[in-house]
Amino acid sequence: MLRFSSISLLALSCVALLATKALADELEDVTGDISPPSAEPHISSASQVVSPQLLFANYKIEAFMLSVAVGLVASYFYGSRKNKELAMAWERPISDVLRANFSLVGDGRQ
């Protein structure tokens, strides 16, 4: 569990660094200077408006985050099942002893 937690923390750190770099790359212009986006985009006519293309390259970070989230959920269910199996395997041999020792509540007086 500790190993999985450290791997998850490392993966989330890498995603944060990639997201920061991608944001910085979007803000840099050709000269390398960071400039704020212009207030009004220049559009000469309505026929030249181009919608953004839906490419996988535009959504790499989102795809990676989704795969990490799916991995975490799968790991949770897998670990939960394994833990339940381990607890049941531990409980089977001693269940008779536990029932014999803890079947009565109180000191026997009514």
Side-chain angles (χ1 to χ4, degrees), residues 27-94:
L27 294 177
E28 288 182 9
D29 71 340
V30 178
T31 62
D33 296 332
I34 297 176
S35 60
S38 60
E40 295 181 31
H42 177 66
I43 300 174
S44 59
S45 70
S47 64
Q48 292 181 350
V49 175
V50 178
S51 64
Q53 294 180 352
L54 296 176
L55 300 174
F56 178 73
N58 295 339
Y59 299 101
K60 286 180 187 176
I61 294 174
E62 287 85 354
F64 181 72
M65 290 294 289
L66 181 63
S67 64
V68 167
V70 168
L72 287 171
V73 169
S75 175
Y76 169 78
F77 286 114
Y78 176 75
S80 177
R81 187 185 68 200
K82 283 297 199 180
N83 190 32
K84 187 174 184 176
E85 289 173 4
L86 182 64
M88 295 301 285
W90 177 82
E91 191 258 341
R92 274 187 213 111
I94 63 167

Side-chain angles (χ1 to χ4, degrees), residues 98-110:
L98 290 174
R99 272 194 209 95
N101 287 329
F102 298 103
S103 62
L104 296 177
V105 178
D107 59 0
R109 290 187 249 168
Q110 294 217 9

